[in-house]
């Protein structure tokens, strides 16, 4: 698997953009309401979080599972040449817009970087490589171009390629009964289930019991894993799994993870 370190957040090189740009709604994930493009009251002047070491007990578990895929540091250090919204307020609105676009582009880079390594036909692999190159080009296209980018069209093209990739990779193990794209599986008891090659794209797995489940080659792109119990589960070769999905779940030392992902600290509690 190609190295994806540039798609991992480096908060020290950012300017707290994830604490400013998104909207927070008071819920189980956030203790407060926060409008979009407004700094969180916990954001310090040096762009660090004043409650970073106690986010979960303070009612902000949503912050612990957010992942910008490295977009924050690229926007600040590359696109805006080290300027920040606080020191240069005249660039704030454009920076906030570009951050949202960059975050989505970096997420696509995460999926495409994985997809080009999967066992697909030469023609599809070439299309994936082309999409990866085009996405990399967009990332470096400059603040004005990024602010005006028609991201929806590009995402639609990439999504179609990723779906074709998924179908080819899962062809030998997919079953009609596990074609569960967008399924509402909230709180379901799926302990020790055979979900090899399952299509769980966009599925709602909130609080789902997946203990011991076999999810090898399952397509998990966009699946909501908040509070899912993945203790002893095998997601080691699942397709398009991300760190923020893993962080949102509850696992243990026996949960098999892809090499590119890190076992969350809260799993040891």
């Amino acid at each position: 698997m190609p190295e994806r370190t540039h798609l991992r957040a480096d908060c020290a090189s950012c300017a707290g953009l994830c604490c400013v740009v998104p909207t927070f709604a008071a819920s189980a994930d956030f203790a407060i309401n926060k409008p979009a493009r407004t700094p969180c009251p916990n954001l310090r002047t040096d762009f660090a979080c004043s409650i970073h070491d106690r986010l979960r007990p303070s009612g902000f578990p949503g912050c612990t599972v957010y992942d910008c895929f490295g977009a924050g540091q690229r926007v600040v250090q590359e696109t805006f040449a080290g300027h920040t919204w606080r020191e240069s307020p005249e660039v704030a609105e454009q920076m906030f817009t570009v951050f949202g676009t960059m975050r989505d582009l970096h997420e696509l880079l995460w999926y495409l970087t994985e997809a080009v390594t999967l066992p697909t036909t030469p023609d599809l692999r070439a299309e994936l490589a082309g999409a990866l190159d085009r996405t990399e080009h967009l990332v470096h296209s400059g603040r004005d171009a990024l602010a005006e980018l028609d991201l929806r069209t590009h995402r639609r093209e990439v999504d179609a390629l990723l779906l074709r990739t998924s179908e080819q990779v899962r062809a030998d193990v997919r079953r009609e009964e596990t074609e569960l794209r967008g399924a509402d599986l909230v709180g379901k008891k799926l302990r020790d289930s055979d979900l090899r090659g399952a299509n769980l794209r966009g599925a709602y797995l909130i609080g789902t019991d997946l203990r011991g489940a076999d999810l090898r080659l399952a397509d998990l792109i966009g699946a909501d894993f908040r509070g899912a119990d993945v203790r002893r589960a095998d997601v080691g070769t699942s397709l398009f799994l991300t760190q923020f999905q893993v962080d949102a779940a509850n696992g243990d030392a026996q949960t098999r993870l892809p090499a590119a992902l890190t076992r969350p600290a809260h799993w040891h509690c």
Side-chain angles (χ1 to χ4, degrees):
M1 182 73 69
E3 186 58 58
R4 290 184 275 186
T5 54
H6 65 298
L7 301 177
R8 301 178 189 279
D10 176 9
C11 298
S13 299
C14 185
L17 291 174
C18 66
C19 305
V20 179
V21 178
T23 299
F24 296 173
S27 62
D29 293 319
F30 299 102
I32 60 171
N33 289 311
K34 186 193 80 65
R37 304 191 175 200
T38 302
C40 173
N42 297 311
L43 183 65
R44 300 190 323 214
T45 56
D46 62 354
F47 302 118
C49 175
S50 62
I51 60 169
H52 184 266
D53 60 346
R54 57 183 190 281
L55 282 166
R56 285 181 177 273
S58 298
F60 291 87
C63 295
T64 69
V65 303
Y66 180 83
D67 189 355
C68 76
F69 292 95
Q73 66 260 27
R74 191 187 293 273
V75 168
V76 173
Q77 301 301 330
E78 180 181 320
T79 312
F80 286 85
H83 295 286
T84 72
W85 54 271
R86 184 169 276 155
E87 297 159 352
S88 304
E90 70 278 5
V91 305
E93 287 304 309
Q94 188 180 46
M95 179 177 282
F96 298 158
T97 297
V98 168
F99 172 69
T101 299
M102 188 71 79
R103 193 265 178 202
D104 286 352
L105 288 173
H106 271 223
E107 183 177 4
L108 293 179
L109 286 175
W110 179 273
Y111 297 139
L112 286 167
T113 302
E114 175 182 343
V116 295
T117 70
L118 297 173
T120 56
T121 61
D123 287 347
L124 178 53
R125 196 173 305 120
E127 289 186 70
L128 288 165
L132 180 58
D133 287 343
R134 289 194 299 276
T135 307
E136 284 281 8
H137 176 75
L138 290 173
V139 160
H140 300 290
S141 59
R143 64 177 74 174
D144 293 335
L146 284 164
E148 300 298 326
L149 177 65
D150 180 6
L151 183 61
R152 182 177 300 178
T153 297
H154 182 67
R155 178 179 279 278
R156 186 163 55 243
E157 294 171 355
V158 172
D159 283 346
L161 286 175
L162 295 176
L163 179 58
R164 287 169 55 198
T165 300
S166 170
E167 291 174 344
Q168 284 194 17
V169 174
R170 296 184 299 112
D172 293 337
V173 290
R174 56 189 297 195
R175 291 164 289 148
E176 184 176 351
E177 62 268 26
T178 58
E179 287 295 310
L180 299 167
R181 182 173 185 172
D184 183 355
L185 301 173
V186 175
K188 295 290 186 181
K189 306 299 182 183
L190 299 176
R191 184 173 182 175
D192 297 319
S193 294
D194 181 0
L195 293 170
R196 287 173 297 168
N199 181 358
L200 290 166
R201 287 179 152 239
Y204 295 95
L205 299 168
I206 303 169
T208 304
D209 185 355
L210 290 165
R211 286 175 291 173
D214 188 346
L215 289 152
R216 287 175 292 172
L217 295 183
D219 187 341
L220 302 179
I221 197 167
D224 191 338
F225 273 88
R226 284 178 293 170
D229 191 341
V230 295
R231 287 176 290 173
R232 298 184 294 101
D234 188 349
V235 293
T237 58
S238 296
L239 306 179
F240 309 128
L241 187 65
T242 64
Q243 187 65 52
F244 72 83
Q245 288 173 304
V246 171
D247 290 344
N250 297 312
D252 60 13
Q254 297 181 65
T255 304
R256 295 186 181 181
L257 293 174
L261 302 181
T262 303
R263 200 172 304 275
H266 74 270
W267 283 14
H268 302 294
C269 296

